[in-house]
Short mmCIF file of all heavy atoms in Angstrom, two decimals:
data_model
loop_
_atom_site.label_atom_id
_atom_site.label_comp_id
_atom_site.label_asym_id
_atom_site.label_seq_id
_atom_site.Cartn_x
_atom_site.Cartn_y
_atom_site.Cartn_z
N PHE A 5 147.98 129.87 116.82
CA PHE A 5 149.13 130.27 117.63
C PHE A 5 148.61 131.10 118.79
O PHE A 5 147.95 132.12 118.59
CB PHE A 5 150.12 131.10 116.81
CG PHE A 5 150.79 130.35 115.71
CD1 PHE A 5 150.20 130.22 114.46
CD2 PHE A 5 152.01 129.74 115.93
CE1 PHE A 5 150.81 129.52 113.45
CE2 PHE A 5 152.64 129.05 114.91
CZ PHE A 5 152.03 128.93 113.67
N ARG A 6 148.86 130.68 120.00
CA ARG A 6 148.42 131.42 121.18
C ARG A 6 149.52 132.40 121.54
O ARG A 6 150.54 132.02 122.12
CB ARG A 6 148.11 130.48 122.34
CG ARG A 6 146.98 129.52 122.04
CD ARG A 6 145.67 130.29 121.88
NE ARG A 6 144.67 129.46 121.22
CZ ARG A 6 143.94 129.84 120.18
NH1 ARG A 6 144.07 131.03 119.68
NH2 ARG A 6 143.06 129.04 119.64
N VAL A 7 149.34 133.67 121.15
CA VAL A 7 150.37 134.68 121.37
C VAL A 7 149.77 135.93 122.01
O VAL A 7 148.57 136.18 121.91
CB VAL A 7 151.04 135.09 120.03
CG1 VAL A 7 151.80 133.93 119.42
CG2 VAL A 7 150.04 135.65 119.05
N THR A 8 150.64 136.68 122.63
CA THR A 8 150.26 137.98 123.18
C THR A 8 150.87 139.07 122.30
O THR A 8 151.75 138.80 121.48
CB THR A 8 150.80 138.15 124.62
OG1 THR A 8 152.23 138.15 124.56
CG2 THR A 8 150.30 137.03 125.54
N GLN A 9 150.44 140.28 122.52
CA GLN A 9 150.98 141.41 121.76
C GLN A 9 152.47 141.56 122.05
O GLN A 9 153.26 141.89 121.17
CB GLN A 9 150.21 142.69 122.11
CG GLN A 9 150.62 143.92 121.33
CD GLN A 9 151.73 144.70 122.01
OE1 GLN A 9 151.86 144.69 123.22
NE2 GLN A 9 152.54 145.36 121.21
N ALA A 10 152.91 141.29 123.27
CA ALA A 10 154.33 141.40 123.63
C ALA A 10 155.17 140.40 122.83
O ALA A 10 156.27 140.72 122.37
CB ALA A 10 154.51 141.18 125.12
N THR A 11 154.65 139.18 122.66
CA THR A 11 155.35 138.17 121.87
C THR A 11 155.46 138.61 120.42
O THR A 11 156.53 138.51 119.79
CB THR A 11 154.62 136.81 121.95
OG1 THR A 11 154.57 136.41 123.31
CG2 THR A 11 155.32 135.75 121.12
N VAL A 12 154.38 139.12 119.88
CA VAL A 12 154.37 139.59 118.48
C VAL A 12 155.35 140.76 118.33
O VAL A 12 156.09 140.84 117.35
CB VAL A 12 152.95 139.98 118.05
CG1 VAL A 12 152.95 140.72 116.72
CG2 VAL A 12 152.07 138.74 117.96
N SER A 13 155.40 141.64 119.31
CA SER A 13 156.32 142.77 119.27
C SER A 13 157.77 142.30 119.20
O SER A 13 158.57 142.80 118.41
CB SER A 13 156.11 143.64 120.51
OG SER A 13 157.01 144.73 120.50
N ARG A 14 158.12 141.30 120.02
CA ARG A 14 159.48 140.73 120.00
C ARG A 14 159.77 140.08 118.65
O ARG A 14 160.85 140.24 118.09
CB ARG A 14 159.67 139.71 121.12
CG ARG A 14 159.98 140.33 122.47
CD ARG A 14 160.40 139.28 123.49
NE ARG A 14 159.38 138.28 123.74
CZ ARG A 14 158.37 138.43 124.60
NH1 ARG A 14 158.25 139.54 125.28
NH2 ARG A 14 157.49 137.47 124.77
N ASP A 15 158.79 139.34 118.12
CA ASP A 15 158.98 138.69 116.81
C ASP A 15 159.21 139.73 115.72
O ASP A 15 160.08 139.55 114.87
CB ASP A 15 157.77 137.82 116.47
CG ASP A 15 157.71 136.54 117.28
OD1 ASP A 15 158.75 136.12 117.84
OD2 ASP A 15 156.61 135.94 117.35
N ILE A 16 158.45 140.80 115.75
CA ILE A 16 158.61 141.86 114.75
C ILE A 16 160.01 142.44 114.81
O ILE A 16 160.67 142.65 113.78
CB ILE A 16 157.53 142.96 114.94
CG1 ILE A 16 156.17 142.43 114.48
CG2 ILE A 16 157.91 144.24 114.20
CD1 ILE A 16 154.99 143.31 114.85
N ARG A 17 160.49 142.68 116.01
CA ARG A 17 161.84 143.22 116.20
C ARG A 17 162.90 142.23 115.71
O ARG A 17 163.82 142.60 114.99
CB ARG A 17 162.05 143.57 117.67
CG ARG A 17 163.24 144.43 117.95
CD ARG A 17 163.30 144.98 119.37
NE ARG A 17 162.94 144.03 120.42
CZ ARG A 17 161.78 144.02 121.06
NH1 ARG A 17 160.85 144.90 120.78
NH2 ARG A 17 161.53 143.15 122.01
N GLU A 18 162.76 140.95 116.07
CA GLU A 18 163.74 139.94 115.66
C GLU A 18 163.73 139.70 114.15
O GLU A 18 164.78 139.44 113.56
CB GLU A 18 163.46 138.62 116.39
CG GLU A 18 163.82 138.66 117.86
CD GLU A 18 163.46 137.38 118.59
OE1 GLU A 18 163.19 136.36 117.94
OE2 GLU A 18 163.44 137.42 119.84
N LEU A 19 162.55 139.79 113.54
CA LEU A 19 162.44 139.58 112.09
C LEU A 19 162.82 140.84 111.30
O LEU A 19 162.86 140.81 110.07
CB LEU A 19 161.02 139.16 111.73
CG LEU A 19 160.61 137.77 112.19
CD1 LEU A 19 159.11 137.57 112.04
CD2 LEU A 19 161.38 136.70 111.43
N LYS A 20 163.07 141.93 112.02
CA LYS A 20 163.42 143.21 111.40
C LYS A 20 162.34 143.67 110.42
O LYS A 20 162.64 144.10 109.31
CB LYS A 20 164.79 143.14 110.74
CG LYS A 20 165.89 142.88 111.73
CD LYS A 20 167.24 142.86 111.09
CE LYS A 20 168.26 142.58 112.19
NZ LYS A 20 169.55 142.26 111.68
N LEU A 21 161.09 143.57 110.87
CA LEU A 21 159.99 144.05 110.05
C LEU A 21 159.87 145.56 110.24
O LEU A 21 160.24 146.09 111.28
CB LEU A 21 158.68 143.38 110.46
CG LEU A 21 158.62 141.86 110.36
CD1 LEU A 21 157.24 141.35 110.76
CD2 LEU A 21 159.00 141.38 108.98
N THR A 22 159.34 146.20 109.24
CA THR A 22 159.10 147.63 109.34
C THR A 22 157.76 147.94 108.69
O THR A 22 157.22 147.12 107.97
CB THR A 22 160.22 148.45 108.66
OG1 THR A 22 160.06 149.82 108.98
CG2 THR A 22 160.21 148.25 107.15
N LYS A 23 157.25 149.11 108.98
CA LYS A 23 155.99 149.54 108.37
C LYS A 23 156.31 150.49 107.23
O LYS A 23 157.19 151.34 107.35
CB LYS A 23 155.11 150.27 109.37
CG LYS A 23 154.36 149.37 110.29
CD LYS A 23 153.38 150.20 111.09
CE LYS A 23 152.59 149.35 112.04
NZ LYS A 23 151.62 150.15 112.78
N ILE A 24 155.58 150.33 106.13
CA ILE A 24 155.70 151.27 105.03
C ILE A 24 154.32 151.87 104.76
O ILE A 24 153.30 151.25 105.05
CB ILE A 24 156.27 150.64 103.75
CG1 ILE A 24 155.35 149.54 103.22
CG2 ILE A 24 157.68 150.15 103.97
CD1 ILE A 24 155.67 149.09 101.82
N SER A 25 154.33 153.05 104.20
CA SER A 25 153.08 153.74 103.87
C SER A 25 152.50 153.17 102.59
O SER A 25 153.22 152.87 101.65
CB SER A 25 153.37 155.23 103.69
OG SER A 25 152.21 155.89 103.29
N GLN A 26 151.18 153.01 102.57
CA GLN A 26 150.48 152.55 101.39
C GLN A 26 149.66 153.67 100.76
O GLN A 26 148.94 153.44 99.81
CB GLN A 26 149.52 151.41 101.75
CG GLN A 26 150.20 150.17 102.19
CD GLN A 26 149.18 149.10 102.40
OE1 GLN A 26 148.62 148.98 103.48
NE2 GLN A 26 148.90 148.34 101.37
N GLY A 27 149.76 154.85 101.29
CA GLY A 27 148.94 155.95 100.82
C GLY A 27 147.61 155.96 101.56
O GLY A 27 147.19 154.96 102.12
N GLY A 28 146.97 157.09 101.58
CA GLY A 28 145.70 157.21 102.27
C GLY A 28 145.80 157.02 103.76
O GLY A 28 144.83 156.66 104.41
N GLY A 29 146.99 157.22 104.31
CA GLY A 29 147.18 157.06 105.74
C GLY A 29 147.32 155.63 106.22
O GLY A 29 147.49 155.38 107.40
N LYS A 30 147.25 154.66 105.31
CA LYS A 30 147.38 153.26 105.70
C LYS A 30 148.83 152.83 105.65
O LYS A 30 149.59 153.28 104.81
CB LYS A 30 146.54 152.39 104.77
CG LYS A 30 145.04 152.70 104.86
CD LYS A 30 144.24 151.61 104.26
CE LYS A 30 144.01 150.66 105.40
NZ LYS A 30 143.27 149.51 105.20
N LYS A 31 149.17 151.94 106.54
CA LYS A 31 150.52 151.37 106.59
C LYS A 31 150.42 149.86 106.65
O LYS A 31 149.36 149.32 106.94
CB LYS A 31 151.29 151.90 107.80
CG LYS A 31 151.55 153.38 107.74
CD LYS A 31 152.38 153.82 108.92
CE LYS A 31 152.60 155.30 108.88
NZ LYS A 31 153.90 155.67 108.46
N LYS A 32 151.54 149.19 106.40
CA LYS A 32 151.57 147.74 106.54
C LYS A 32 152.98 147.29 106.88
O LYS A 32 153.96 147.98 106.59
CB LYS A 32 151.08 147.05 105.26
CG LYS A 32 152.03 147.15 104.10
CD LYS A 32 151.52 146.32 102.94
CE LYS A 32 152.50 146.35 101.79
NZ LYS A 32 152.11 145.46 100.72
N TYR A 33 153.05 146.12 107.52
CA TYR A 33 154.35 145.54 107.83
C TYR A 33 154.94 144.88 106.60
O TYR A 33 154.24 144.24 105.82
CB TYR A 33 154.22 144.48 108.93
CG TYR A 33 154.09 145.07 110.31
CD1 TYR A 33 152.87 145.10 110.97
CD2 TYR A 33 155.20 145.62 110.95
CE1 TYR A 33 152.75 145.64 112.23
CE2 TYR A 33 155.08 146.17 112.22
CZ TYR A 33 153.87 146.17 112.85
OH TYR A 33 153.76 146.72 114.09
N VAL A 34 156.26 145.06 106.43
CA VAL A 34 157.00 144.37 105.38
C VAL A 34 158.33 143.91 105.95
O VAL A 34 158.82 144.45 106.94
CB VAL A 34 157.25 145.27 104.15
CG1 VAL A 34 155.97 145.65 103.46
CG2 VAL A 34 158.07 146.49 104.50
N MET A 35 158.88 142.93 105.30
CA MET A 35 160.21 142.44 105.67
C MET A 35 161.21 143.16 104.79
O MET A 35 161.11 143.12 103.56
CB MET A 35 160.28 140.94 105.45
CG MET A 35 161.57 140.34 105.91
SD MET A 35 161.43 138.55 105.76
CE MET A 35 163.14 138.18 105.61
N LEU A 36 162.16 143.83 105.39
CA LEU A 36 163.12 144.58 104.59
C LEU A 36 164.05 143.68 103.81
O LEU A 36 164.37 143.94 102.68
CB LEU A 36 163.92 145.52 105.47
CG LEU A 36 163.16 146.73 106.00
CD1 LEU A 36 164.05 147.57 106.89
CD2 LEU A 36 162.62 147.55 104.88
N SER A 37 164.52 142.61 104.43
CA SER A 37 165.48 141.75 103.74
C SER A 37 165.68 140.47 104.51
O SER A 37 165.47 140.41 105.70
CB SER A 37 166.82 142.48 103.62
OG SER A 37 167.80 141.64 103.09
N ASP A 38 166.09 139.45 103.81
CA ASP A 38 166.45 138.19 104.46
C ASP A 38 167.91 138.18 104.89
O ASP A 38 168.37 137.21 105.47
CB ASP A 38 166.22 137.02 103.50
CG ASP A 38 164.75 136.72 103.30
OD1 ASP A 38 163.95 136.97 104.21
OD2 ASP A 38 164.43 136.22 102.22
N MET A 39 168.66 139.25 104.58
CA MET A 39 170.10 139.25 104.80
C MET A 39 170.50 139.37 106.27
O MET A 39 171.43 138.72 106.70
CB MET A 39 170.75 140.38 104.03
CG MET A 39 170.77 140.15 102.55
SD MET A 39 171.50 141.52 101.71
CE MET A 39 172.98 141.74 102.67
N GLY A 40 169.91 140.30 106.99
CA GLY A 40 170.30 140.55 108.37
C GLY A 40 171.59 141.34 108.45
O GLY A 40 172.34 141.46 107.50
N GLY A 41 171.83 141.92 109.60
CA GLY A 41 173.08 142.61 109.84
C GLY A 41 173.16 143.98 109.20
O GLY A 41 172.18 144.56 108.76
N GLU A 42 174.38 144.52 109.14
CA GLU A 42 174.61 145.86 108.64
C GLU A 42 174.37 145.97 107.15
O GLU A 42 174.16 147.06 106.64
CB GLU A 42 176.03 146.30 108.98
CG GLU A 42 176.26 146.46 110.47
CD GLU A 42 177.69 146.81 110.79
OE1 GLU A 42 178.44 147.15 109.85
OE2 GLU A 42 178.05 146.75 111.96
N GLY A 43 174.43 144.89 106.40
CA GLY A 43 174.24 144.93 104.97
C GLY A 43 172.90 145.52 104.58
O GLY A 43 172.79 146.20 103.57
#
């Protein structure tokens, strides 16, 4: 996939991904839910 950081940033926002702490100062992206919206 030929992508830029800006494209990935938009995708992260649209997919509603968030970062969670893994301990030791490390974080990772996770998908909060497949539901979408206020739920």
Side-chain angles (χ1 to χ4, degrees):
F5 294 86
R6 297 294 163 230
V7 295
T8 64
Q9 184 270 331
T11 301
V12 169
S13 179
R14 279 190 299 276
D15 287 340
I16 287 170
R17 194 170 41 257
E18 288 176 15
L19 291 168
K20 297 182 180 168
L21 301 182
T22 190
K23 280 188 180 181
I24 62 167
S25 176
Q26 293 185 272
K30 297 196 88 179
K31 295 183 182 256
K32 71 174 183 174
Y33 282 105
V34 295
M35 185 174 155
L36 288 179
S37 174
D38 287 331
M39 288 179 48
E42 293 176 12

